[in-house]
Amino acid sequence: MSDKCEGEFYSVPPRDHIFRYEWAAKRLEGYKGTVFDIGCGSGYGSLILQKSGLKVVGIDRSKKAIDLADKTGVLAYCEAVLPNSNLPSPPCAFVLMEVVEHNSSGMSILKNIIEVADIALFSVPYMEHPGVNEFHHLSLLSEDSFSWMKPKPSFD
């Protein structure tokens, strides 16, 4: 399976997608650094973060997604998920909502991000097997997948 993904594009994003970004906005309230929304897609989540007063930069590997994000007023760039050599210096936070499982090196990317981020907020589908979602899931992730993290992340 390749890492190519054009993603899903919504005229009205699903409520669970909106909820994830509202959750992130609440946890980032008052944050003064730049928030990088990795895998921002069409920008609806970046816009939620931006409207909560955060300085947001969206990153997505799909040109189609970035074109849509630009129309919402979100500063966004079309790039592959940032390799370690291109990660910004703090202060910065990262939001990765349903992104890690889309890339065969997603866990490595997450580890690199955690090394430089003040805050890293992410969500992954719980125990959804590869191939269930035609667009994305390249790896099965469970709580054990994150056992390397200190402190241990929450699973709620």
Side-chain angles (χ1 to χ4, degrees):
M1 200 172 236
S2 90
D3 281 349
K4 290 291 183 193
C5 169
E6 276 303 310
E8 301 162 298
F9 301 99
Y10 305 101
S11 56
V12 177
R15 181 70 191 130
D16 63 318
H17 289 213
I18 292 170
F19 174 77
R20 288 183 196 106
Y21 279 96
E22 290 172 342
W23 173 86
K26 184 178 288 187
R27 276 146 189 82
L28 290 167
E29 188 174 335
Y31 185 73
K32 299 299 180 201
T34 300
V35 177
F36 292 89
D37 182 12
I38 305 296
C40 69
S42 57
Y44 61 83
S46 299
L47 191 58
I48 291 168
L49 298 172
Q50 189 173 290
K51 285 182 176 179
S52 73
L54 298 164
K55 178 182 173 190
V56 180
V57 175
I59 306 286
D60 201 286
R61 62 183 167 195
S62 167
K63 176 73 170 116
K64 179 179 177 182
I66 295 305
D67 289 344
L68 292 168
D70 285 343
K71 292 177 183 171
T72 68
V74 170
L75 175 61
Y77 297 98
C78 186
E79 295 185 33
V81 175
L82 298 170
N84 197 34
S85 61
N86 291 338
L87 290 173
S89 300
C92 61
F94 290 84
V95 172
L96 301 93
M97 296 300 169
E98 309 293 306
V99 170
V100 175
E101 73 280 4
H102 296 206
N103 191 303
S104 60
S105 58
M107 197 60 73
S108 175
I109 292 164
L110 182 60
K111 286 179 182 179
N112 291 339
I113 283 171
I114 287 172
E115 287 180 15
V116 300
D118 294 325
I119 301 168
L121 300 174
F122 65 96
S123 68
V124 297
Y126 185 72
M127 297 297 292
E128 186 172 288
H129 290 274
V132 170
N133 180 326
E134 67 178 298
F135 292 104
H136 308 296
H137 305 254
L138 301 177
S139 56
L140 175 62
L141 300 172
S142 68
E143 291 182 30
D144 288 342
S145 304
F146 302 94
S147 62
W148 57 271
M149 296 179 91
K150 304 289 185 248
K152 185 175 174 144
S154 65
F155 296 96
D156 50 344

